[in-house]
Amino acid sequence: MVKKLSACFDVNAGTEQGHPLSPELFKCYIYELSLQINALPGVESPQLNNQQITHLLWADDLVLLALNKVSLQLMIDQLHIFCTNWGLIVNIKKTAVIVFNPSGRQLLESKTFTYGRSIVIPSVKSYCYLGTHFTICGSMKLNQEQLRIKGLRAYFSLKKTVDLSSISKEAVFKLFDALILPVVSYGSQVWLPYTNILNNICQKKTQSDKDTLSQLANDSIERLHLSLLKWTTGVNKRTSNIPIWGDTGRYPLGIQLTKLFLDFHNRLVLLDRKNSPQIVRHAFVEQRNLELTFVPNIESADRRI
């Protein structure tokens, strides 16, 4: 490779790739779209704590939220007009319609939405938004399974790379915490309440700690963690789990994830006390008002953690 500098050239449109000004300029560029969507008459969209939420906009990822077919099509049409006027292109291959319903079936009306006059937007049973998989019935099981698969890939890659004879167990654990734990715990503040992890930790006092640990060991992500611990210590896969945790000085991942969830919950409580206008605070208040099943268990989990 010849180490030479190219001739200088001017950037007359846009910014260089990765330039810190790029997202700021894009927010200014796209801001009017939010105003136009919110100003649409007759649109029915979800409400969080009496705040109407028509869309979510994260950089160039846009989610339109509506309570009926007519409202959603109106917002899609407005998006098409905006993009046509300002020279933006919607990637239809990454665009989909998902109609949440308790039956878990794709409703016929979900297949009738179009972008422009001729492009039919596909209907799906699940969609990955910002790394989190949402399913048509609201279940988070698919998301946890996808995280487990990604974690397994990272785990097998680590096993191929590490030579246990030339590295300490503590170093392997640090590699796990740095390379695999962030993968399997991604977005746990969102999906943890919908798993058995939080429920097991929040069991009544009549349940022993041993029973709680046994139930935590059955979680798919914890099985991955235990597999690494047993591989690192060189014991049989059928070895009892509790001594492995004790000998390695490790806690079940469910306990760590629950602490992350509780820390996040406590930050939301502070936002609520300050009457913050942030959408996450409105979502928190709405969940509390709905009296979701995991909400009463939070104080119990806080005491145990």
Side-chain angles (χ1 to χ4, degrees), residues 84-95:
T84 301
N85 292 338
W86 291 98
L88 296 176
I89 299 175
V90 172
N91 189 344
I92 297 298
K93 293 182 179 179
K94 295 183 179 180
T95 304

Side-chain angles (χ1 to χ4, degrees), residues 23 26-27 30 56-62 129-130:
F26 184 79
K27 285 191 293 185
I30 207 73
L56 303 175
L57 189 59
W58 178 265
D60 60 346
D61 286 318
L62 173 66
Y129 176 62
L130 300 181

Side-chain angles (χ1 to χ4, degrees), residues 108-126:
L108 291 177
E109 63 182 8
S110 68
K111 303 178 181 180
T112 60
F113 296 96
T114 59
Y115 179 75
R117 294 185 177 181
S118 58
I119 302 177
V120 178
I121 303 176
S123 172
V124 295
K125 289 186 176 181
S126 65

Side-chain angles (χ1 to χ4, degrees), residues 81-151:
I81 293 173
F82 182 87
C83 292
T84 301
N85 292 338
W86 291 98
L88 296 176
I89 299 175
V90 172
N91 189 344
I92 297 298
K93 293 182 179 179
K94 295 183 179 180
T95 304
V97 172
I98 181 169
V99 178
F100 295 100
N101 65 89
S103 68
R105 296 178 298 176
Q106 286 180 277
L107 304 181
L108 291 177
E109 63 182 8
S110 68
K111 303 178 181 180
T112 60
F113 296 96
T114 59
Y115 179 75
R117 294 185 177 181
S118 58
I119 302 177
V120 178
I121 303 176
S123 172
V124 295
K125 289 186 176 181
S126 65
Y127 193 84
C128 182
Y129 176 62
L130 300 181
T132 300
H133 291 263
F134 296 90
T135 61
I136 202 169
C137 62
S139 171
M140 300 301 292
K141 291 182 179 179
L142 174 63
N143 181 72
Q144 191 177 16
E145 177 62 19
Q146 291 298 317
L147 292 178
R148 186 188 70 85
I149 293 174
K150 292 179 181 178

Side-chain angles (χ1 to χ4, degrees), residues 231-246:
W231 167 67
T232 305
T233 53
V235 300
N236 190 280
K237 295 180 180 180
R238 297 183 180 180
T239 303
S240 178
N241 298 323
I242 295 179
I244 292 297
W245 285 318

Side-chain angles (χ1 to χ4, degrees), residues 44-237:
E44 296 184 26
S45 59
Q47 289 191 351
L48 293 177
N49 192 31
N50 297 321
Q51 298 292 319
Q52 188 177 28
I53 309 296
T54 60
H55 65 286
L56 303 175
L57 189 59
W58 178 265
D60 60 346
D61 286 318
L62 173 66
V63 176
L64 300 176
L65 303 170
L67 296 178
N68 55 59
K69 175 183 175 181
V70 174
S71 296
L72 181 56
Q73 188 61 60
L74 283 173
M75 288 191 281
I76 296 174
D77 292 341
Q78 186 60 50
L79 172 64
H80 179 260
I81 293 173
F82 182 87
C83 292
T84 301
N85 292 338
W86 291 98
L88 296 176
I89 299 175
V90 172
N91 189 344
I92 297 298
K93 293 182 179 179
K94 295 183 179 180
T95 304
V97 172
I98 181 169
V99 178
F100 295 100
N101 65 89
S103 68
R105 296 178 298 176
Q106 286 180 277
L107 304 181
L108 291 177
E109 63 182 8
S110 68
K111 303 178 181 180
T112 60
F113 296 96
T114 59
Y115 179 75
R117 294 185 177 181
S118 58
I119 302 177
V120 178
I121 303 176
S123 172
V124 295
K125 289 186 176 181
S126 65
Y127 193 84
C128 182
Y129 176 62
L130 300 181
T132 300
H133 291 263
F134 296 90
T135 61
I136 202 169
C137 62
S139 171
M140 300 301 292
K141 291 182 179 179
L142 174 63
N143 181 72
Q144 191 177 16
E145 177 62 19
Q146 291 298 317
L147 292 178
R148 186 188 70 85
I149 293 174
K150 292 179 181 178
L152 279 174
R153 292 172 182 167
Y155 171 48
F156 291 141
S157 177
L158 180 65
K159 289 185 69 174
K160 292 179 181 179
T161 306
V162 170
D163 180 6
L164 292 180
S165 62
S166 59
I167 190 173
S168 66
K169 294 192 294 292
E170 290 73 19
V172 176
F173 299 155
K174 288 182 179 180
L175 288 173
F176 177 88
D177 292 338
L179 302 176
I180 302 177
L181 182 57
V183 174
V184 297
S185 64
Y186 178 80
S188 58
Q189 293 89 340
V190 175
W191 54 258
L192 185 72
Y194 301 96
T195 67
N196 291 327
I197 296 175
L198 191 63
N199 292 331
N200 290 332
I201 293 179
C202 299
Q203 292 293 335
K204 297 179 180 179
K205 295 181 179 180
T206 54
Q207 176 171 288
S208 66
D209 291 337
K210 182 178 180 180
D211 292 336
T212 300
L213 291 174
S214 298
Q215 293 174 359
L216 288 176
N218 290 326
D219 180 76
S220 59
I221 293 179
E222 184 56 36
R223 289 199 298 269
L224 171 62
H225 182 219
L226 286 168
S227 178
L228 176 126
L229 297 183
K230 293 177 182 180
W231 167 67
T232 305
T233 53
V235 300
N236 190 280
K237 295 180 180 180

